[in-house]
Amino acid sequence: MMQIALFGNPNIGKTSLFNQLTGSYEYVGNWSGVTVEEKIGLLKNKQAKLVDLPGTYSLNPLSRDERVVTEFLLRNHFTSIINIVDASQLQRNLHLTIELLEFGKPLMIGLNMIDVAKSRGIEINIQNLSNKLGVAIQPIIARTGKGCNQLLEKITYEEKLPQEPFRLDYGVIIETGISKLVDLLYECSIDLPSKRWLAIQFYSGNDTVKTYLERLLNHALLLELLAETEKELLETTGQTLQDAIFEKREQFIRTVLNDSVVITNEVRQSLTDKIDRFATNKYLGMPIFLTLLYFMFMITFNWIGSPLSDALDSFLSGPFTNWLENILNKFGTSAFLFNLILDGIVPGVGGVLVFVPQIFILFFFISVLEDSGYMARISLVMDRIMQSIGLNGKAFIPMVIGFGCNVPGIMSARTIEQPKERLITILLTPLMSCSARLPVYALFAGVFFGKNQALVVLSLYTMGVVLALVLAKLFSKTMLKSEASVFVIELPPYRVPHLGTLAKSTWDKGKGFIKKAGTFIFGGTVVIWLLSVVGRSGFNVTMDDSLLAELGGFLAPVFAPLGFGSWQAAVALLTGFLAKESVVSTLNIVYHTSSTAFLQGVVADSYTPLSAYSFLVFILLYIPCLATVATIKKETGSMKWTIFSMVYPFIIAYVISFIIFQGGNLLGL
């Protein structure tokens, strides 16, 4: 079966096009860094597989995700290329197109964002552009699907047509160097990618290609060839190899565009520019961001989310439990299984599921921020702060993604070019409040802070971010001194979010929460319930005599100075390492409550507002969940840093919760 590779600049609609052509759904965002590894799907017409690759401006990689693209070209067998290009940014996008054309595989262009180009007064003669580049071009709007079916129809047809080899003349000196290297590569017995492409990439400074060639050819010979060509070019033109190659491509692109593009009525100031005067303003940017977060939390926890969660709780603890009880009685279920289901599984899993409305509402608003284009602005606003702590604004993107789930947040750190900045970002992303913590926040904030729930939750989110920034400064000045970096980020135009995309994005984020409740939390509640009814004396012991209480009692004194020294709290924190949602399901079981409403009453008697807030802060900061720890190990490849990522948050959490509780007591709070 044919395999087609999908290439393009960051934030250009590759993943949207991938979804349109394959009928699948991958995570989409109107900002760069969404795709950090290759994804494979089957085209709707079943004629070929499509590979979605990370966005890159050039085949000369700067970051780990961009290296995925170059490594794919060097090591994978595929039949053709779809190059998605931004119609409103042709001059910049065509640099990658030239590199792909030089690779020599059949190529077709998906000309995306033609609606944006038109709104900016850009008219493109597609036939002229196609003739100049020697490839087929299909205009599309990937996010809505316009033109994508036509592209799908053309893919297999164009694949069978012969395509003229693309050759750009780089001048006598560089061409001589290319010829010499190509001659050497012909002596290699293995099957290689385009030899001319390899030579051009080598001379343009592509370290990944250089490393690849060093395994095939004599290292000293390669260096000699490079130095000889570079020296002759400098003496003749005063240019470096990279500058000369870039300039030749730029000249070719300008020639192509002069014959293919007309600016009819250039827009002086677009709507995006007008909004950005405020959204990215040096003084207004941060207050606007915090205000948006506050309203998000008000809707999630006060205005809409809480009533919906209360209604779902009433249904699960009332009609659903009664129906289930009648079914179990009707089939003569044993007492053991009866108690396991009604006292363990239903309160444990149900205690997590009641927060689904709030989770989905929050994910909906995060999806709105992503699809509208505002997410990229957050990174720009934060860049000024991030620069002061030794990172740049791009490092804030994984942290924002971490608000949904820490795992993809850590993975998205691959877009960061500098290794030490990437490591710092990976270590700090778990401090962001992921969705798994929301049920705990909602439970305790609803009990103790009433109408101020949104403000309390916002304070937790803000605390995580502020603490991450402080630690970033500390790490970058001590054990992980990072080199100076340059911050470059794509600022996409603002768009009205597409309802279909919002629905898919919200469901994609939220389904993981439901899936975890039906699998991981389900299994965990069974184990917790069994431990709650088994003791040293046997089965069906009281809760206080159970193995669970014994384990919690052993750990409880550690947390007593923080205000939550009960064995129930200790057990909940222990299961929270497996999954943060397990904290609520565990509390439901150990307090033997049948609904969230009953659990809230027990919690109100077991905690004070001060100890409750201390508990929430500890939940925010202490050891990352098991999945996050595993991802840190995978991304860093280091057991040392993985252990460090578990130890330092626990110490920080303990110290801050101690200060909050003991300091609050001294102040009489």
Side-chain angles (χ1 to χ4, degrees), residues 266-333:
E266 189 169 0
V267 181
R268 290 184 179 178
Q269 189 177 48
S270 65
L271 178 62
T272 292
D273 295 330
K274 293 176 182 177
I275 296 175
D276 277 346
R277 287 175 59 192
F278 302 96
T280 61
N281 182 273
K282 183 177 180 179
Y283 303 105
L284 298 176
M286 184 57 66
I288 289 173
F289 175 46
L290 292 175
T291 301
L292 285 174
L293 284 183
Y294 175 72
F295 277 103
M296 279 172 50
F297 294 140
M298 284 296 292
I299 294 171
T300 301
F301 294 100
N302 287 57
W303 298 337
I304 298 177
S306 290
L308 289 177
S309 290
D310 291 343
L312 183 57
D313 181 40
S314 298
F315 169 74
L316 291 176
S317 61
F320 177 78
T321 300
N322 294 336
W323 171 80
L324 190 58
E325 186 176 353
N326 291 333
I327 293 292
L328 295 174
N329 286 327
K330 182 178 179 180
F331 286 95
T333 307

Side-chain angles (χ1 to χ4, degrees), residues 508-611:
D508 188 61
K509 295 182 179 77
K511 72 179 180 183
F513 183 84
I514 297 175
K515 183 179 179 181
K516 196 185 292 186
T519 54
F520 197 86
I521 306 299
F522 178 90
T525 56
V526 172
V527 174
I528 294 297
W529 182 82
L530 287 173
L531 290 175
S532 73
V533 296
V534 175
R536 292 178 181 272
S537 59
F539 192 68
N540 275 337
V541 300
T542 62
M543 186 76 74
D544 289 336
D545 295 326
S546 67
L547 293 177
L548 196 64
E550 190 172 336
L551 175 62
F554 175 75
L555 297 173
V558 176
F559 303 108
L562 312 184
F564 40 91
S566 65
W567 69 263
Q568 291 92 340
V571 168
L573 290 171
L574 189 63
T575 60
F577 167 64
L578 303 178
K580 292 296 185 283
E581 302 96 329
S582 295
V583 171
V584 173
S585 61
T586 301
L587 290 176
N588 258 317
I589 294 172
V590 298
Y591 284 126
H592 201 65
T593 54
S594 58
S595 71
T596 301
F598 289 152
L599 179 59
Q600 287 176 329
V602 176
V603 166
D605 294 333
S606 305
Y607 294 79
T608 65
L610 182 60
S611 65

Side-chain angles (χ1 to χ4, degrees), residues 3 200 218-219 250 252 291 308 314 330 341 382 416 445 464 480 483 492 497-498 531 594 627 637:
Q3 183 161 282
I200 294 170
N218 181 275
H219 177 67
E250 186 72 11
F252 173 75
T291 301
L308 289 177
S314 298
K330 182 178 179 180
I341 293 173
M382 288 298 299
I416 299 170
L480 287 170
E483 61 275 27
H498 188 255
L531 290 175
S594 58

